[in-house]
Amino acid sequence: MIGSINMLHFNVTLIFMAYGPPGPFNYGVFFVTFVTYLATVFANVILLLVIYFDTSLHKPMYIFLFNLAINGLIGTSAVLPNIMVNLLNEIQYISYYNCLLQVFFINFYAICAYAILMVMAYDRYVSICKPLQYHNIMTPATIRMLLGIAYIFPFCFLAVQLHLTSTLPLCRYTINKLFCDNLAIVNLSCVRSVPGDLYGLAGVVIFLGVPLLLVILSYVRILLVSLKASANAKQKALRTCAPHLITFINFSTASLFSVIYNRFNNYMSKELNVFMSIHFILIPPLLHPVIYGIRTERISKSLRKILQSKVFAFEFTEFRRKTKDNINKTAFIC
């Protein structure tokens, strides 16, 4: 992947034009981005630790959620630190090499998130529509296969896309955005690559259109089964599917904003440009663990249990230490 970069571009520096000079607006955006980034890292790490340490959560749905949290950390860490640095600098720039890496990780985050959400929808479909066959279908081998598909296919596809983009000759060196994306680099080229455009279109259909269609079909099937079930079964299905459905709608909305931003950012005001660009990478990674942490009863209980056990262990250790100190003082006086 790295070796495919045109060596003539290796030392090229690209300039971001969407930031403007440091000032009150930039400082305000920096503060919001910094706080949100810290909250995102904290929320996802907590979710990862809860799932990792609670063996009762080592089940397909939570394994997929574990991977969604890792993916959120990859996406937010690939962009937000660079944005925060640029908000405080007089000149905002990035090397061509790092710009390509940023494109790769942003797209990897987006495609893998959709793939994992599609896999989670399939898990919910099997759980509700085929409950007696669930453990025979969602075996450890099946889970590994689904996660492998969610990671390996996007990686291979994006490696080829990065190669196609890196071979394009450059005529311009300014990007009117807050961070790099594939379309921004393609627009810097002197020529349009028909194979590259067709390849990108195929990627949109395969990695965005197909997951969206499969998730919709899964929930249509779940809805039809739920309508025939008892009131108690309907409530259980709603509690099971609600966090995933909210997460999917949220990410789809953010993805739509990203598409609009990529196509029309040159016609937006500075404030709208900033919002549309960072919404895609700022909001979903934070909301996903929050939604699942609050809406999923099992995770909430596990978190409380872990916190209570840690607090109890700390208090018990302090009690033993103080008791030992008192005994030593008494023995010294005697």
Side-chain angles (χ1 to χ4, degrees):
M1 182 175 66
I2 295 176
S4 67
I5 299 176
N6 189 331
M7 296 304 297
L8 295 175
H9 300 156
F10 191 84
N11 294 319
V12 167
T13 298
L14 304 177
I15 306 297
F16 293 111
M17 304 299 292
Y19 287 91
F25 180 78
N26 282 25
Y27 297 147
V29 175
F30 172 86
F31 177 76
V32 172
T33 305
F34 179 69
V35 171
T36 306
Y37 179 62
L38 289 182
T40 299
V41 172
F42 177 78
N44 281 281
V45 169
I46 290 295
L47 183 61
L48 290 172
L49 292 176
V50 169
I51 296 174
Y52 179 81
F53 285 111
D54 191 342
T55 55
S56 68
L57 297 178
H58 293 181
K59 298 177 180 179
M61 186 64 179
Y62 302 107
I63 293 174
F64 298 142
L65 180 56
F66 186 91
N67 283 268
L68 188 64
I70 292 176
N71 183 66
L73 290 174
I74 292 173
T76 194
S77 298
V79 177
L80 295 187
N82 184 259
I83 288 179
M84 288 187 287
V85 170
N86 285 333
L87 286 168
L88 301 180
N89 286 343
E90 289 287 344
I91 301 176
Q92 299 82 21
Y93 62 90
I94 189 172
S95 70
Y96 181 75
Y97 174 80
N98 287 334
C99 190
L100 287 175
L101 284 181
Q102 193 175 77
V103 169
F104 177 84
F105 283 110
I106 291 172
N107 289 343
F108 186 76
Y109 150 75
I111 293 175
C112 286
Y114 246 107
I116 294 172
L117 289 171
M118 177 186 66
V119 169
M120 294 171 75
Y122 174 70
D123 176 78
R124 293 301 84 199
Y125 161 75
V126 176
S127 175
I128 294 172
C129 299
K130 301 181 179 181
L132 299 179
Q133 301 171 266
Y134 180 79
H135 294 291
N136 292 329
I137 295 176
M138 300 303 295
T139 62
T142 302
I143 294 171
R144 287 193 295 269
M145 181 192 69
L146 292 174
L147 289 175
I149 292 173
Y151 284 115
I152 295 174
F153 281 15
F155 183 91
C156 295
F157 176 88
L158 292 173
V160 174
Q161 185 184 54
L162 204 63
H163 167 73
L164 294 174
T165 301
S166 66
T167 57
L168 295 174
L170 299 181
C171 289
R172 293 170 289 277
Y173 304 93
T174 58
I175 300 176
N176 191 33
K177 295 183 178 181
L178 298 181
F179 55 86
C180 297
D181 60 57
N182 192 68
L183 183 61
I185 298 179
V186 170
N187 288 337
L188 298 179
S189 174
C190 309
V191 296
R192 296 292 296 187
S193 171
V194 176
D197 291 343
L198 293 176
Y199 190 80
L201 181 61
V204 171
V205 174
I206 294 171
F207 294 110
L208 296 181
V210 172
L212 178 62
L213 178 62
L214 292 178
V215 170
I216 291 174
L217 291 176
S218 296
Y219 275 102
V220 168
R221 180 60 180 164
I222 289 172
L223 178 61
L224 293 175
V225 171
S226 299
L227 290 176
K228 302 176 183 178
S230 63
N232 185 50
K234 290 179 182 177
Q235 292 179 357
K236 184 178 179 181
L238 180 61
R239 287 196 303 269
T240 302
C241 296
H244 176 266
L245 194 56
I246 294 171
T247 301
F248 183 78
I249 292 173
N250 169 62
F251 190 76
S252 297
T253 303
S255 300
L256 178 61
F257 277 144
S258 178
V259 171
I260 296 173
Y261 167 68
N262 282 332
R263 298 297 176 183
F264 302 105
N265 70 294
N266 290 328
Y267 308 99
M268 298 177 184
S269 65
K270 180 182 178 181
E271 292 78 8
L272 186 59
N273 198 329
V274 169
F275 171 77
M276 295 285 277
S277 60
I278 65 176
H279 177 269
F280 169 68
I281 207 73
L282 193 69
I283 305 302
L286 174 60
L287 286 188
H288 293 172
V290 172
I291 290 171
Y292 274 99
I294 294 174
R295 299 282 301 182
T296 306
E297 186 178 356
R298 289 286 300 278
I299 292 179
S300 299
K301 285 184 177 180
S302 297
L303 179 58
R304 288 196 297 268
K305 183 174 68 175
I306 291 173
L307 292 176
Q308 288 170 359
S309 65
K310 296 298 182 183
V311 170
F312 177 78
F314 175 77
E315 291 178 347
F316 182 70
T317 302
E318 285 293 302
F319 174 77
R320 289 185 61 185
R321 184 183 64 81
K322 291 179 181 179
T323 302
K324 185 177 180 180
D325 290 344
N326 291 334
I327 292 173
N328 290 337
K329 287 179 182 178
T330 304
F332 177 77
I333 293 173
C334 294

